[in-house]
Amino acid sequence: MSAIAQYGFQAFGERVSYAELIGQLAALAVVFLAQRRMMLTWPVQILACVLLFSVYLSADLGGLAIRQVIVFVIAVYGLIAWLRRRDPVHGVVVRVATWKQRGLLAALLVLGTIGTALLLDALDASWAPWPDAAILVGTAVAYLAQGLRMIEFWLLWLIVDAIGVPLQLATGLYFSAIVYIAFAALVIYGWLKWVRSRRQVLAAREAVAV
């Protein structure tokens, strides 16, 4: 682990560590797997968390490093939740969040960002506490919604991407910034796939009921 975190290569005049490369590629793979509602989504996410934790810690981005720990825990929960709720016919059945659930997600995002940013600033754990906190909390809330099979988690990812690209560029993590940009397109496609999957399941269940 220490070797893969310390060593890397030059790309476009910038150093890219092996941990950043493999971690971000694994994170990118998670999006493809999540689109298809595959159980492999969570083990690959766990791998990405371990690698990216070392990357962000070395870049003095405490919020992003802590995010990997939080996502690691949520990934374990997500794997268990998907295994327990898997339908024998349709696999992982996604759902639309209620307005109350959407309100709770929004409250977690806003209040969590404020509290985390103030904490990071007080501990001097990040040079950019507010965007760092927004990405940390946004990611955690998005993965929580993903574990609960809520379609809205894709929209939360768009918020994270919009904040993450400028922060990665400012930090000099150019490869990560490129991955974040690719995420945005994949997230939109994933959202459409989950919406289509939800409609297909509802149509199939209505046909059986008739």
Side-chain angles (χ1 to χ4, degrees):
M1 178 58 68
S2 60
I4 201 171
Q6 293 176 11
Y7 300 105
F9 57 93
Q10 294 291 322
F12 304 105
E14 298 294 335
R15 181 181 178 280
V16 178
S17 70
Y18 292 125
E20 181 183 1
L21 174 64
I22 299 173
Q24 292 293 4
L25 288 177
L28 197 61
V30 167
V31 181
F32 285 101
L33 296 170
Q35 288 174 356
R36 292 157 179 78
R37 296 167 289 117
M38 297 177 64
M39 290 298 170
L40 191 58
T41 298
W42 300 109
V44 174
Q45 181 61 67
I46 290 172
L47 171 64
C49 287
V50 173
L51 294 173
L52 294 179
F53 175 81
S54 65
V55 172
Y56 293 129
L57 198 63
S58 63
D60 195 27
L61 285 173
L64 291 179
I66 295 172
R67 181 186 73 168
Q68 303 308 315
V69 178
I70 296 173
V71 172
F72 181 94
V73 174
I74 296 176
V76 174
Y77 160 77
L79 177 61
I80 296 172
W82 279 25
L83 285 171
R84 293 181 62 183
R85 302 291 298 181
R86 182 168 51 180
D87 185 273
V89 177
H90 303 288
V92 177
V93 179
V94 301
R95 60 194 179 96
V96 176
T98 65
W99 282 106
K100 180 179 180 180
Q101 291 169 335
R102 291 173 183 174
L104 290 173
L105 292 176
L108 285 174
L109 180 60
V110 174
L111 297 178
T113 296
I114 294 173
T116 303
L118 294 175
L119 179 62
L120 290 175
D121 188 45
L123 297 176
D124 195 24
S126 175
W127 63 268
W130 288 95
D132 206 353
I135 294 174
L136 187 161
V137 177
T139 299
V141 175
Y143 275 119
L144 176 61
Q146 179 182 336
L148 295 172
R149 299 168 290 111
M150 294 177 179
I151 294 174
E152 287 80 1
F153 99 88
W154 293 105
L155 303 181
L156 290 169
W157 264 121
L158 285 179
I159 297 175
V160 172
D161 287 340
I163 300 171
V165 172
L167 181 61
Q168 301 284 4
L169 290 174
T171 309
L173 299 173
Y174 297 100
F175 181 77
S176 293
I178 293 173
V179 172
Y180 266 65
I181 294 173
F183 272 159
L186 294 172
V187 163
I188 294 173
Y189 179 67
W191 175 62
L192 294 175
K193 285 200 68 171
W194 274 39
V195 170
R196 189 181 307 116
S197 172
R198 176 62 178 168
R199 290 174 178 171
Q200 291 173 345
V201 170
L202 291 177
R205 288 178 174 175
E206 289 178 358
V208 171
V210 172

